[in-house]
Amino acid sequence: MFMIANAWKNVIRNKGRNLLVMVIVAIIAAAAAIGLSIRQAAQSARATGLANTTVTAQISLDRSKLMAAAQKQSANGTQPDFQALRQSLAGKELSLTDYQKYAKTSTAVKSTYYSQSAGLSATTGFQPVSTSSSSTSGSTSDSTTSGQSGSQGSSGSSQSSQGYGAGGPMGGRGMDSGDFKLTGFSSDAAVANAANGKFTMSSGKVFGYDKTANGQIIISKALAQFNNLKVGDTVTAANTTDSTKTYKLTIVGIYANTGSTSSAPGGMGNASNPDNAIYTSFSTLDSLGLSGNSTNGGSQLDFTYVVASKAAYETFAKDVKAAGLSSDYTVSSPDITQYEASLVPLDNLAKFALTLLLIVLGVGGAVLIALNVFNIRERKYEVGVLTAIGIRKAKVAAQFVFELLIVTMIGLAIGAAAGSIASVPVSNHLLAGQVAAQQSQQASQAAQFGRGMQGGGMQSGSQGQGAPAPAMGGGFAAGRASALGKTTSYISSINSTVSISVVGELVLIGLALTVVSSLAAVVVIMRYEPLQILADRS
């Protein structure tokens, strides 16, 4: 008890030195509080960010793996064996039955939805919206005696876009783009999650999904005006590869495209124009023979599994592998991938905070050790007197430890208070800098590889090609952005408040600083000989 009381008196007596120590400890504590709160916020965001978000999963063909294996089997090892490449990819696409089978094998799957697209060609009575006069004239000149367009019915009909369509992350076979893009959906969930722009219903209603609604379509307002069509009219479109094969479709609704209506770059045809997007049910697409491996060359089926959480996604991935899914296929989650990408600036900030914390602790600890050693040297005579009157060196050393502990805890409290006040604004300011740096890097890469132009064009095109998602009030909500044209939405703010756990870590840091900086003083005190100290003083 004497040691504690004497330690407090010495703290009051040596105000200047102890104030300096308090300032140093407060700075260390404030920096530590901000750094620890940033790391805690980053961990919390990673752990709970997807907790209230529906996670989707998809099964896709690992094309790069198959092509790499085929290239290894090439004759000379340098020239690709194109025949082997084509054979390695042929017949590998999963059917609707396959996708549904894997959905039943895992209890982690809550629901599923899917969509698929196919190209259609124009006829003399049904023309695409186009600024090119060659499209219309070409369709008319190539039309058959029955009024249907030939396979070269427009400038876009003769063009083929490999993998273009609703394959999305699933990847797809080549699809003749034609003049119109007909997309069939399995349910409202498929519509709501399609890569589309912003739409509202102008007149009529949305198509149904069962067989009784087969043949029902909705078209854009621009396409309806271009062809002088209204709800209830029937249109005829042709197969892109067989001009003699036509399809009769009934317009049940007309939607207004409120997003961009510019066509995609690169001359990808009229089907890339969002005004020429036609939406229907998957049942209709299937009844027309335009789904799956049809002669029309429809895109790969875009099948999505809905699971409850990231953990459920991991369970689903294990279940489908156990159910016999070949190693030629991979299981992925766009939601998890996008969320992980959004955490990049926050992860970088957390690493920076940890590095800064270690530097501050290292420098601060070295300064405290030096100050404590100088303090012991200045009070060498006091140590000699205390030990000479019979107080053990251990108690004398404990007194100095208590002194430093008192000063450290006061400085720690001040620093923690300052850190708690500054943690949120400072953290968000630093995070904003990280986000800006990441966006700048992304923009630089886009400009370097020309993706800025392509992304913008594809974004406009893909927005029109997707489906209008039913929303409250009869409107349509925007779906997911296209994979090529989108930009990552980074986490730009965090609630990095100083919590109880951070305070506990700060206390441990204070104790560690006290022990480390006191250790040198204890070693010095133990080496002192009291009689020698008094003799030198005399």
Side-chain angles (χ1 to χ4, degrees), residues 55-57 108 307 309-318 331-333 336:
V55 177
T56 60
V307 297
S309 63
K310 184 178 180 180
Y313 160 74
E314 294 171 350
T315 300
F316 169 73
K318 294 178 182 178
V331 181
S332 61
S333 172
I336 295 177

Side-chain angles (χ1 to χ4, degrees), residues 52-138:
N52 298 320
T53 303
T54 298
V55 177
T56 60
Q58 294 176 326
I59 299 176
S60 58
L61 182 64
D62 192 346
R63 297 177 182 275
S64 60
K65 176 183 175 181
L66 292 175
M67 289 189 289
Q71 286 173 342
K72 288 182 179 179
Q73 298 174 0
S74 61
N76 52 21
T78 57
Q79 178 67 32
D81 186 344
F82 296 108
Q83 184 63 26
L85 288 174
R86 293 187 181 96
Q87 289 177 352
S88 66
L89 298 176
K92 293 287 187 178
E93 293 163 356
L94 297 178
S95 65
L96 178 60
T97 303
D98 294 328
Y99 285 117
Q100 291 174 334
K101 179 190 71 173
Y102 290 120
K104 296 177 181 179
T105 60
S106 178
T107 57
V109 178
K110 295 171 56 181
S111 61
T112 62
Y113 57 83
Y114 48 93
S115 64
Q116 191 168 12
S117 298
L120 294 176
S121 290
T123 60
T124 53
F126 188 39
Q127 292 287 309
V129 176
S130 175
T131 57
S132 173
S133 59
S134 62
S135 294
T136 304
S137 61

Side-chain angles (χ1 to χ4, degrees), residues 306-380:
V306 180
V307 297
S309 63
K310 184 178 180 180
Y313 160 74
E314 294 171 350
T315 300
F316 169 73
K318 294 178 182 178
D319 289 344
V320 295
K321 291 293 183 182
L325 181 66
S326 170
S327 59
D328 293 337
Y329 301 88
T330 61
V331 181
S332 61
S333 172
D335 302 300
I336 295 177
T337 301
Q338 291 172 15
Y339 187 73
E340 291 289 338
S342 73
L343 290 175
V344 170
L346 185 57
D347 289 340
N348 291 339
L349 181 59
K351 293 177 182 177
F352 170 76
L354 177 60
T355 302
L356 179 62
L357 177 61
L358 294 176
I359 293 174
V360 169
L361 290 178
V363 174
V367 172
L368 288 178
I369 290 174
L371 289 176
N372 207 20
V373 170
F374 288 143
N375 181 36
I376 297 299
R377 288 183 178 276
E378 290 179 1
R379 297 168 62 184
K380 185 177 180 180

Side-chain angles (χ1 to χ4, degrees), residues 209-399:
Y209 296 103
D210 55 19
K211 292 182 178 180
T212 60
N214 282 353
Q216 295 181 354
I217 61 170
I218 61 174
I219 64 175
S220 70
K221 187 175 181 180
L223 183 59
Q225 291 176 340
F226 193 79
N227 289 273
N228 194 25
L229 296 170
K230 62 183 183 299
V231 173
D233 287 347
T234 299
V235 296
T236 301
N239 189 287
T240 58
T241 58
D242 183 1
S243 61
T244 63
K245 191 171 185 178
T246 59
Y247 313 98
K248 288 188 177 181
L249 304 167
T250 302
I251 301 172
V252 295
I254 297 174
Y255 67 86
N257 185 350
T258 59
S260 174
T261 58
S262 60
S263 60
M268 296 181 72
N270 291 321
S272 64
N273 189 328
D275 286 337
N276 296 323
I278 303 175
Y279 305 124
T280 187
S281 65
F282 184 85
S283 178
T284 293
L285 200 71
D286 191 50
S287 67
L288 298 176
L290 298 177
S291 65
N293 299 320
S294 63
T295 56
N296 181 72
S299 67
Q300 169 65 27
L301 180 66
D302 186 2
F303 197 99
T304 301
Y305 302 88
V306 180
V307 297
S309 63
K310 184 178 180 180
Y313 160 74
E314 294 171 350
T315 300
F316 169 73
K318 294 178 182 178
D319 289 344
V320 295
K321 291 293 183 182
L325 181 66
S326 170
S327 59
D328 293 337
Y329 301 88
T330 61
V331 181
S332 61
S333 172
D335 302 300
I336 295 177
T337 301
Q338 291 172 15
Y339 187 73
E340 291 289 338
S342 73
L343 290 175
V344 170
L346 185 57
D347 289 340
N348 291 339
L349 181 59
K351 293 177 182 177
F352 170 76
L354 177 60
T355 302
L356 179 62
L357 177 61
L358 294 176
I359 293 174
V360 169
L361 290 178
V363 174
V367 172
L368 288 178
I369 290 174
L371 289 176
N372 207 20
V373 170
F374 288 143
N375 181 36
I376 297 299
R377 288 183 178 276
E378 290 179 1
R379 297 168 62 184
K380 185 177 180 180
Y381 181 72
E382 179 185 346
V383 173
V385 171
L386 290 174
T387 53
I389 64 176
I391 299 176
R392 290 181 299 174
K393 290 182 180 181
K395 286 189 176 182
V396 175
Q399 174 184 318

Side-chain angles (χ1 to χ4, degrees), residues 148-172:
Q148 289 110 17
S149 166
S151 61
Q152 302 295 326
S154 76
S155 60
S157 301
S158 62
Q159 299 169 359
S160 176
S161 171
Q162 295 300 321
Y164 175 73
M170 301 297 293

Side-chain angles (χ1 to χ4, degrees), residues 19-39:
L19 283 175
L20 178 60
V21 174
M22 285 183 190
V23 170
I24 295 173
V25 173
I27 294 174
I28 296 173
I34 294 173
L36 291 173
S37 60
I38 290 174
R39 285 180 56 79

